Amino acid sequence: MLRLLESLSATERAAYVLREAFSYEYSEIAEIIRVSEVNSRQLVARARKHIMTERRASVSHAEQRRLLEAFIGAAQQGDLAALEGLFAADVVSYSDGGGLVRAARRPVVGRTRVATFIAAVASHHWSGVTLDWIETNGQASVLVSRPDAVGGLVTINASIDGINELLWMMRPSKLRAVARAHVGTGDAVGAGG
């Protein structure tokens, strides 16, 4: 957050901190930084927009892969603290089981809830599986297979805040298509729709 604040102009930073950290009214901010109330509102709005844009800027492909590897390691161990450390505060875990396999029906939201959920299923989900690192839709992904079938595909979206989204594909028809493409070519595969 400090790095993001430093990227703002001095007046934007002052207006933003006074409003967000100390709950000053716009009229008070205007008086402190010697601008009109309308300008103080604009400064805070620009600062918010800049911070949100920067916070959600995607990480590099290498960093996405590193975060996914760290996630897989922590998930396999059921390491709650490590999982929480990897997640952005507003992380969301989405599962697509297509109503055919057991999966979370609703998105799981928030660092603590997602980490707790992942840790709770660790002993079952990661036991006796093989992991194949592949690329789907231009991102590092992990194909999770059991001896008898492919069980899932996981990938992430991440920003400088950490992992923002976990994306679990568990729908059998989609997994068969991904597995066929992966085995057939040995190259990156597309895991769309």
Side-chain angles (χ1 to χ4, degrees):
M1 187 62 159
L2 181 58
R3 186 184 69 75
L4 292 173
L5 287 173
E6 288 174 348
S7 69
L8 301 174
S9 72
T11 53
E12 285 175 334
R13 183 171 46 248
Y16 181 80
V17 169
L18 289 170
R19 180 69 182 170
E20 297 298 319
F22 301 109
S23 301
Y24 277 57
E25 296 297 324
Y26 291 107
S27 59
E28 295 172 302
I29 296 168
E31 187 177 324
I32 291 168
I33 60 176
R34 297 184 178 159
V35 296
S36 70
E37 187 174 337
V38 170
N39 283 348
S40 71
R41 287 179 186 277
Q42 290 174 340
L43 288 168
V44 172
R46 275 197 309 260
R48 278 186 189 137
K49 183 178 178 184
H50 180 79
I51 286 172
M52 289 311 295
T53 300
E54 285 294 313
R55 289 179 75 192
R56 291 295 179 213
S58 295
V59 295
S60 69
H61 184 72
E63 180 64 3
Q64 189 260 354
R65 168 77 185 234
R66 185 196 71 75
L67 285 167
L68 181 57
E69 287 174 358
F71 166 73
I72 295 294
Q76 288 178 308
Q77 298 300 313
D79 188 336
L80 192 62
L83 288 165
E84 286 184 358
L86 291 168
F87 296 152
D90 57 350
V91 63
V92 181
S93 178
Y94 297 98
S95 301
D96 176 8
L100 303 171
V101 297
R102 208 168 164 187
R105 292 182 185 168
R106 292 192 173 120
V108 181
V109 180
R111 179 182 288 141
T112 301
R113 291 184 72 209
V114 173
T116 302
F117 174 74
I118 299 298
V121 300
S123 63
H124 167 74
H125 186 75
W126 301 105
S127 179
V129 299
T130 302
L131 304 178
D132 291 307
W133 289 87
I134 63 174
E135 192 170 296
T136 56
N137 297 330
Q139 291 187 297
S141 304
V142 176
L143 201 55
V144 181
S145 301
R146 298 204 177 276
D148 55 338
V150 176
L153 176 85
V154 63
T155 193
I156 63 169
N157 288 320
S159 69
I160 63 169
D161 286 341
I163 297 172
N164 299 315
E165 294 179 322
L166 291 167
L167 307 165
W168 302 88
M169 181 194 304
M170 300 161 93
R171 184 182 293 206
S173 60
K174 288 183 179 181
L175 289 174
R176 282 191 297 274
V178 170
R180 272 194 309 269
H182 174 63
V183 171
T185 65
D187 292 332
V189 296

